[in-house]
Amino acid sequence: MSVILKRRHFMRSALAAIPAAALPFGKLFAAADAATIDDVEAVTGVGKQIILKGADVKDFAERLRGELLLRSSAGYDTARRAWNGAFDRHPALIARCSGPADVMEAVKFAAANQLLLSVRGGGHSLSGQSVCEKGLMIDLSQMNSARVDPRKRMATIEGGALLGALDRETLAHGLATTAGTVSHTGVGGLTLGGGFGRLGRRFGLACDNVRAIDVVTADGRFVTASAQENKELFWGLRGGGGNFGVATAFDFQLHPVDPMMLGGELVYSFDDAPAVLKYLFDFAPEMPEELSLDLTLLRLPDDMRALSLDVCYSGPLASGEKLLAPLRQLRKPVADRVVQTPYIKLQQTADVSLGHGKKYYIKGGFVQKTSAALIDVIMATIADAKLPVVQVVSMQPAGGAIKRVSPSATAFAQRGLAYNSFVLAAWEDPSLSEAVGQWARSAWKNVEPHTHGFYVNEFNEDGGRMKATYGVNYDRLVALKTKLDPNNLFRLNANLAPRGA
Ligand SMILES: Cc1cc2nc3c(=O)[nH]c(=O)nc-3n(C[C@H](O)[C@H](O)[C@H](O)COP(=O)(O)OP(=O)(O)OC[C@H]3O[C@@H](n4cnc5c(N)ncnc54)[C@H](O)[C@@H]3O)c2cc1C
């Protein structure tokens, strides 16, 4: 670990030693291309309208190695696009950072002007928070490298990299760590909020596998947080979401895996779903840690309803087949696509169905304990779904290595959860948006009593549910936020409001 840290320190000082004239300043950025820049309308973090002087914006652009995009810049509309097409926001400025030094400049500019600030890693924010309206968006998409040290079983992943890059580079060495289930999700957002994935029951949450994080804090300082330095920040970053700064790189511990796994989809008829769900809920506490079974009850616009299980078994093939035999015998699946498959392919199976640009609405929470009543509720939710859109109730399993970590060891407190559950709708026709929102809210009213706390990567609530989510860690997190970000610069997230702000 220390070697990796030293190597990164070396790379940082080597970059600093390159004379500015050798770097492509003046070539890449859009805002500084103009001889002068008009004043820019913007808003502060608390929503006050302000005017940024054109000269100040130009000066900011000139201090970046990456581009600074204005609304009139080529590439602006592509850069501001969010994964969730339900949001259509227009930042006043987009800083396409090319490295930590750019991030430091951008954070300082936002703080000096009290600007509304958003941080975009992979752009997958379900609540659209990473693209702000009339503020400064820090865009990390150019900071997307993934580097593996196979001897040390460590990976250094930049803050804007996608899971596909992490999986590809690590699996090339027969190594992996927990990542999410869709390859175009960002490593940054996913890891800071926790990070559930197909290997999570075996290796823990993504954040449990992090050994160091490079961060730019609200005062524009660059620090490394690990078990050796900036320990409290390291604790808070593992589950506290984007509250504490901009993560520019992560060091992950990797684990040897067989890149061929047993996985794919098992689909059951809606009529058989209650029996299969009962079996799964009874079986879950005993399930080997190598097995992950995500379950989704769904209704498609053509009124087809079904229960789909996303299976991944990372142990020996024969044991996996044995484990699945009772499930296959319990009720005959209407489709059985579980075969030996490269893990990297399993990680891409939902890439198209959960693609960019559709509209999505989601409500969710942590199921601590399953029950017959929960089965009734989720069955009724999909039985009652009638809109010409995709409507689902989905549950991602926890337990295993996730549960073995003490609730206070990292900011992520809900270690005892059985499932991360959510109600989701996906659609394209804007005229359906209101009806979809109504359905999701009313469906969630029925499911919510079966949950306690929620996944901060999926929503941006405040108040009671934040306290329930962070439980024993809540006060400590608020104290850390108050110390590091007293003005709540990093507010577009599941926000831990600093005291007195
Ligand atoms: C299709 C889809 C599938 C998903 N599957 C899973 C899954 O299997 N498991 C799971 O755990 N979650 C999953 N999620 C939820 C996912 O963890 C969150 O959406 C997460 O925020 C995505 O990170 P991002 O970097 O892509 O998002 P962005 O939209 O870029 O960022 C979201 C927020 O994260 C913060 N952030 C992002 N990067 C940084 C950074 N480098 N430094 C500081 N703050 C940062 C910011 O607060 C930002 O507002 C999924 C989401 C989607 C849309």
Side-chain angles (χ1 to χ4, degrees):
M1 179 63 227
S2 59
V3 173
I4 288 192
L5 284 178
K6 272 187 203 140
R7 191 186 62 235
R8 288 198 355 233
H9 281 305
F10 167 77
M11 284 168 64
R12 276 173 220 135
S13 42
L15 255 186
I18 300 173
L23 296 169
F25 294 117
K27 187 163 68 100
L28 292 174
F29 48 77
D33 285 346
T36 56
I37 291 178
D38 290 342
D39 293 349
V40 174
E41 283 182 29
V43 293
T44 66
V46 293
K48 192 173 150 216
Q49 305 286 328
I50 52 168
I51 301 290
L52 298 170
K53 288 208 181 83
D56 293 343
V57 174
K58 185 163 166 55
D59 178 56
F60 173 37
E62 285 172 352
R63 280 184 278 120
L64 297 178
R65 187 159 65 97
E67 299 171 278
L68 183 70
L69 303 178
L70 307 173
R71 285 189 74 149
S72 54
S73 304
Y76 170 88
D77 273 323
T78 308
R80 74 179 180 86
R81 211 169 284 151
W83 168 83
N84 189 346
F87 300 99
D88 181 27
R89 299 204 177 114
H90 295 80
L93 301 170
I94 299 176
R96 304 204 92 182
C97 297
S98 65
D102 280 359
V103 176
M104 291 162 80
E105 289 293 350
V107 167
K108 282 181 199 155
F109 184 80
N113 291 285
Q114 299 175 355
L115 270 177
L116 179 67
L117 178 69
S118 68
V119 180
R120 185 193 186 282
H124 261 209
S125 169
L126 290 140
S127 53
Q129 295 270 61
S130 51
V131 183
C132 57
E133 183 65 28
K134 289 181 85 173
L136 168 64
M137 176 175 118
I138 292 185
D139 176 0
L140 301 173
S141 61
Q142 313 297 302
M143 294 168 58
N144 55 19
S145 71
R147 189 180 188 287
V148 174
D149 182 337
R151 280 173 306 125
K152 299 234 166 292
R153 293 182 179 164
M154 294 291 299
T156 299
I157 312 292
E158 277 192 295
L162 304 184
L163 299 182
L166 167 69
D167 283 336
R168 175 155 171 78
E169 294 305 325
T170 57
L171 286 161
H173 303 281
L175 298 167
T177 192
T178 305
T181 48
V182 174
S183 80
H184 45 73
T185 309
V187 173
L190 179 124
T191 304
L192 293 170
F196 296 89
R198 294 183 171 94
L199 302 179
R201 291 172 38 75
R202 184 170 169 195
F203 301 132
L205 297 169
C207 72
D208 298 335
N209 292 282
V210 172
R211 296 294 171 263
I213 309 181
D214 286 346
V215 198
V216 176
T217 49
D219 53 5
R221 274 182 316 131
F222 175 93
V223 298
T224 296
S226 70
Q228 286 76 42
E229 48 183 333
N230 298 301
K231 295 177 199 169
E232 189 68 0
L233 174 58
F234 186 53
W235 172 83
L237 287 167
R238 289 172 295 158
N243 272 289
F244 300 111
V246 184
T248 57
F250 297 82
D251 282 352
F252 283 97
Q253 178 75 64
L254 306 175
H255 312 272
V257 293
D258 184 341
M260 291 298 287
M261 296 186 190
L262 185 66
E265 197 186 22
L266 271 182
V267 185
Y268 294 88
S269 74
F270 195 62
D271 289 346
D272 287 341
V276 178
L277 287 171
K278 179 172 182 331
Y279 174 84
L280 288 174
F281 287 173
D282 290 346
F283 174 52
E286 318 295 324
M287 220 160 76
E289 296 182 359
E290 291 83 0
L291 183 60
S292 169
L293 286 168
D294 276 28
L295 54 100
T296 302
L297 269 172
L298 73 157
R299 177 189 168 273
L300 300 180
D302 64 3
D303 220 29
M304 202 276 270
R305 292 178 175 79
L307 169 66
S308 162
L309 305 186
D310 180 82
V311 179
C312 177
Y313 180 71
S314 61
L317 179 67
S319 325
E321 294 288 5
K322 228 189 219 170
L323 276 167
L324 293 181
L327 249 185
R328 284 169 160 148
Q329 280 152 19
L330 180 74
R331 293 289 187 275
K332 191 171 164 39
V334 292
D336 184 343
R337 291 186 268 270
V338 179
V339 289
Q340 207 184 3
T341 312
Y343 172 65
I344 199 151
K345 289 265 176 250
L346 291 175
Q347 290 286 80
Q348 295 161 359
T349 44
D351 280 10
V352 173
S353 58
L354 289 169
H356 292 84
K358 293 179 209 170
K359 296 178 175 54
Y360 297 91
Y361 194 109
I362 183 170
K363 291 291 238 180
F366 290 150
V367 170
Q368 308 289 343
K369 207 170 166 343
T370 55
S371 62
L374 176 64
I375 296 177
D376 291 346
V377 163
I378 61 179
M379 286 299 296
T381 300
I382 293 304
D384 294 346
K386 300 243 163 17
L387 294 169
V389 306
V390 175
Q391 292 163 289
V392 310
V393 179
S394 198
M395 297 179 62
Q396 196 164 24
I402 297 171
K403 195 174 179 177
R404 281 202 298 276
V405 178
S406 147
S408 58
T410 67
F412 191 101
Q414 296 298 329
R415 296 290 175 168
L417 85 161
Y419 287 93
N420 174 33
S421 71
F422 55 86
V423 168
L424 176 139
W427 74 106
E428 306 210 26
D429 178 355
S431 70
L432 292 168
S433 299
E434 207 179 311
V436 168
Q438 269 171 16
W439 171 77
R441 281 189 296 274
S442 91
W444 183 244
K445 243 187 217 152
N446 300 326
V447 181
E448 186 177 4
H450 298 266
T451 66
H452 177 80
F454 69 102
Y455 188 23
V456 295
N457 278 6
E458 288 168 351
F459 319 95
N460 54 316
E461 294 186 17
D462 46 23
R465 283 233 298 172
M466 280 293 272
K467 282 195 177 151
T469 298
Y470 284 116
V472 290
N473 295 333
Y474 183 78
D475 289 342
R476 186 173 163 190
L477 282 163
V478 172
L480 184 64
K481 176 78 175 178
T482 307
K483 183 172 166 217
L484 289 179
D485 186 14
N487 298 319
N488 209 4
L489 184 66
F490 302 111
R491 66 175 63 227
L492 290 179
N493 42 48
N495 196 228
L496 291 156
R499 281 191 201 105

